[in-house]
Amino acid sequence: KAKTICYLEDAAQKEIDACVSGHRGTLRLGLTPAYPDPYMSNLLLDFNQAYPHITYELFEANSNYIMEHVKNGVIEIGVIRTPTYIPPIFHAALSVEEQLMVVYRRENPWLSPDLDGVPIASLAGVPLSISYGFRKKITDMCLESGFSPYLLSVCSSRATALMWASRGTAVSIIVAGSSSDQENERFCCRPIIGKDMSTKRSFAILKERQLSAVARLFIDFCKQR
């Protein structure tokens, strides 16, 4: 019995240490709906491999809802894309640079698969599929280049935006960390050439709220990546 008590005490102490260090517990995270999203998918899967005893509560919503959830304590970290306005009560614990990209089938009537980058002027008259979050930015940059964009589809998710490109009906504009996110034998993924084509993905937290050990561990893991 004494040996059993000592074993249970030791096991309990290990569990407490794991919770304090962040190796156990629940990560409560908010994400904008951008699937398929290789960056976040790889990040979460690699984090899970490194810390298999952590569980997850993931909320998918637009940036405003995510920041509201962070403010109300429903989640601890909100992964949003800027230039979304971030109120001063929030702090970007980490920011990742991303680029506006075009995705199109290699056999299409508008853009060559041999391009290294796509000048914004090359999109004149091309049917485009985009998400609502970048509608104003894309419209403004096309107007600055002297034409009105042909927006075939404006939708709320990256998956739907890419659907049109997958059938060769349109060219999709998405945000990605690199061309390899969508590049394969069927599709080209190329950066748009022009000014202000970069965006940031920010990991927003409340300035005056202390993060849990699990959330701190996740932020540190992301910074190392």
Side-chain angles (χ1 to χ4, degrees):
K1 286 182 179 180
K3 286 183 179 180
T4 301
I5 291 171
C6 289
Y7 171 78
L8 291 173
E9 182 182 24
D10 183 57
Q13 185 61 53
K14 286 180 180 178
E15 281 198 42
I16 292 170
D17 292 342
C19 288
V20 171
S21 66
H23 294 184
R24 288 183 184 270
T26 299
L27 177 65
R28 295 178 291 121
L29 189 67
L31 307 168
T32 51
Y35 292 104
D37 186 346
Y39 174 77
M40 285 306 303
S41 298
N42 292 334
L43 195 61
L44 289 169
L45 291 172
D46 290 348
F47 184 70
N48 172 253
Q49 187 174 19
Y51 304 100
H53 298 296
I54 290 176
T55 58
Y56 303 84
E57 290 183 10
L58 304 178
F59 295 81
E60 297 171 65
N62 66 39
S63 296
N64 291 330
Y65 277 111
I66 286 176
M67 287 190 287
E68 193 66 25
H69 281 331
V70 174
K71 182 180 176 181
N72 294 335
V74 176
I75 56 180
E76 290 189 272
I77 305 168
V79 184
I80 61 176
R81 282 201 168 95
T82 51
T84 299
Y85 170 70
I86 302 180
I89 60 172
F90 292 93
H91 164 67
L94 174 67
S95 292
V96 179
E97 192 85 11
E98 294 183 309
Q99 173 79 22
L100 280 172
M101 303 273 192
V102 291
V103 179
Y104 54 94
R105 290 183 68 103
R106 292 187 179 275
E107 66 288 354
N108 77 90
W110 311 292
L111 301 173
S112 168
D114 298 325
L115 293 171
D116 293 325
V118 177
I120 187 67
S122 299
L123 299 178
V126 176
L128 302 176
S129 174
I130 66 173
S131 62
Y132 280 109
F134 291 96
R135 182 175 191 168
K136 184 179 186 307
K137 182 178 180 66
I138 292 167
T139 300
D140 287 348
M141 69 186 192
C142 290
L143 290 175
E144 287 179 12
S145 296
F147 68 95
S148 295
Y150 173 17
L151 300 181
L152 176 68
S153 172
V154 182
C155 46
S156 59
S157 73
R158 176 190 282 195
T160 306
L162 288 170
M163 174 192 74
W164 298 94
S166 69
R167 295 296 298 270
T169 309
V171 168
S172 296
I173 298 180
I174 64 169
V175 173
S178 68
S179 297
S180 61
D181 285 355
Q182 299 295 330
E183 186 86 10
N184 56 45
E185 66 279 359
R186 294 177 59 204
F187 297 101
C188 297
C189 182
R190 301 287 187 267
I192 300 177
I193 300 172
K195 65 177 184 178
D196 299 327
M197 294 299 154
S198 63
T199 65
K200 286 185 178 180
R201 194 191 303 235
S202 297
F203 290 60
I205 61 175
L206 273 181
K207 286 181 178 178
E208 298 182 358
R209 179 179 296 159
Q210 184 175 358
L211 291 177
S212 68
V214 171
R216 290 198 306 272
L217 186 68
F218 180 69
I219 290 292
D220 290 341
F221 181 85
C222 295
K223 287 179 178 179
Q224 291 171 9
R225 292 287 293 267

